[in-house]
Amino acid sequence: MRVEHGDSFSRWKPGPRLMGLGRGLLDLILPPRAFDGEPALTPGLSAGAWSRIVFLDGPVCDGCGAPFPFDQGEPLCALCLARPRAFARARAACLYDEHSRDLVLKLKHADRTDLSGLFARWISRAAPDLLETAQAVVPVPMHPARLLRRRYNQAAEIARPLARAAGRPYLADALVRKRDTASQGGKSADGRRRNVAAAFVVPESKRRQIEGKRVLLVDDVLTTGATAEGCARALLAAGASAVDLTVVARVTEMRSRPI
C-alpha cells in the first residue's frame, strides 16, 4: 500500500495484495455462485453444470474443429478434405448442445456480458496454437442497425478479453458487416451461405491493419461455417496472410444442423 504525502483519502488506492486479501475475505463470507445458482466449482459453473459441458479436449479436425472419435493420423476430416474452407484452421471450446446452449444464449440475448470472460478462458484453453500464431484478433461483426437494437456484439465481448489475455492486438472495427442480413437461425447450409454472401468487408482505411497478418477470427457458435467463410474471404481479400477461427461452441454436423 502506498500513500503519497499530501494525498487526500479519496485518492488512496489499495495495492494488489490488499485487494486480493479483500476478495478472499468476501468469497469466504459470500461464497461465489455459479450462473445456474449452485455453488461454483470454477468461476461461472457449478460442479454439475461443468460436468455436463462437452469440452473438445481430444483429437479434432485441424480445419473445422470437429471432434474425432480417435486419433486417425489425418489432420483433416472428410468434409474439409473434400471442400477446403476459406479459414485455415478452426477450434471450438465445446460442443453446442442442450447443456452449453443456455449459457451461449444468455450472452447472446439476455445481456449476460459477464459470461464473456469465462468463454474467453475456455477458448484460450482450446486454441493455444491458434493464439500463439495470431497477429491480430478480429470479432465477427454485427451490422450497426442490429448493434443498436442489441447494444453489444457478443463476438466482440468474447474477443476483447481473449486478445488482452493473449497479448495480441484487438481490431474491433477492422471487419464490418455492410449489409443487415436476416438471422441465420433455422436456415439450411445453402440458405446461410446465400444470406451472408458479400455481406462483409474490410474498410479501405483498415486494410493496413490486416495486410500480411495472420488473423484470428472470433465468434460464439459455429454451425455451417457460412458466416466464418464470408468473414475469412473478406479478410483474405484485404491482404491477410491467413485466417484462423475460434468459437465457444460448435454443432456436431456443420452442414445441416440449424441453430
Side-chain angles (χ1 to χ4, degrees):
M1 163 187 354
R2 185 183 68 180
V3 179
E4 299 289 348
H5 179 69
D7 280 353
S8 66
F9 180 77
S10 62
R11 293 178 58 190
W12 174 80
K13 294 182 179 180
R17 295 180 64 182
L18 186 58
M19 291 177 67
L21 178 61
R23 282 193 297 268
L25 290 173
L26 183 61
D27 287 348
L28 183 63
I29 299 170
L30 298 171
R33 310 294 292 180
F35 296 118
D36 56 4
E38 296 297 319
L41 176 67
T42 62
L45 289 184
S46 65
W50 181 270
S51 67
R52 290 189 291 270
I53 300 293
V54 183
F55 291 102
L56 299 180
D57 296 325
V60 299
C61 171
D62 195 48
C64 68
F68 289 142
F70 54 86
D71 189 351
Q72 57 188 33
E74 170 60 57
L76 299 178
C77 69
L79 290 178
C80 288
L81 287 171
R83 187 179 69 85
R85 306 175 191 280
F87 49 87
R89 300 178 294 173
R91 297 291 184 276
C94 66
L95 285 184
Y96 188 77
D97 57 17
E98 63 271 22
H99 304 300
S100 64
R101 183 185 301 117
D102 183 54
L103 285 174
V104 172
L105 293 181
K106 281 180 178 177
L107 170 62
K108 194 167 186 174
H109 298 298
D111 293 338
R112 292 297 303 273
T113 55
D114 52 313
L115 285 163
S116 60
L118 176 68
F119 290 154
R121 289 192 294 273
W122 287 7
I123 289 174
S124 296
R125 179 174 176 268
D129 49 343
L130 272 59
L131 285 164
E132 183 178 357
T133 57
Q135 296 171 292
V137 176
V138 173
V140 168
M142 185 178 289
H143 189 271
R146 185 170 299 181
L147 183 61
L148 185 63
R149 293 193 298 270
R150 190 176 291 179
R151 302 189 307 280
Y152 64 91
N153 175 4
Q154 72 275 3
E157 294 299 315
I158 299 167
R160 190 183 306 111
L162 181 67
R164 183 170 58 245
R168 298 294 186 266
Y170 170 61
L171 307 181
D173 54 358
L175 182 66
V176 299
R177 189 185 294 248
K178 63 180 182 179
R179 185 161 54 82
D180 191 8
T181 57
S183 171
Q184 295 280 65
K187 288 182 170 60
S188 66
D190 288 340
R192 284 171 177 257
R193 282 192 289 271
R194 290 192 299 270
N195 189 42
V196 297
F200 304 99
V201 68
V202 175
E204 193 63 35
S205 61
K206 304 295 182 181
R207 291 179 70 95
R208 292 186 63 183
Q209 297 179 330
I210 297 297
E211 289 176 345
K213 290 186 172 62
R214 188 172 194 114
V215 176
L216 182 62
L217 183 68
V218 179
D219 204 0
D220 56 349
V221 178
L222 179 63
T223 50
T224 65
T227 298
E229 286 269 331
C231 290
R233 289 194 187 99
L235 290 164
L236 293 170
S241 62
V243 178
D244 295 322
L245 171 69
T246 187
V247 298
V248 177
R250 59 156 288 140
V251 299
T252 305
E253 298 294 335
M254 284 178 58
R255 297 236 173 180
S256 59
R257 182 176 174 182
I259 181 173

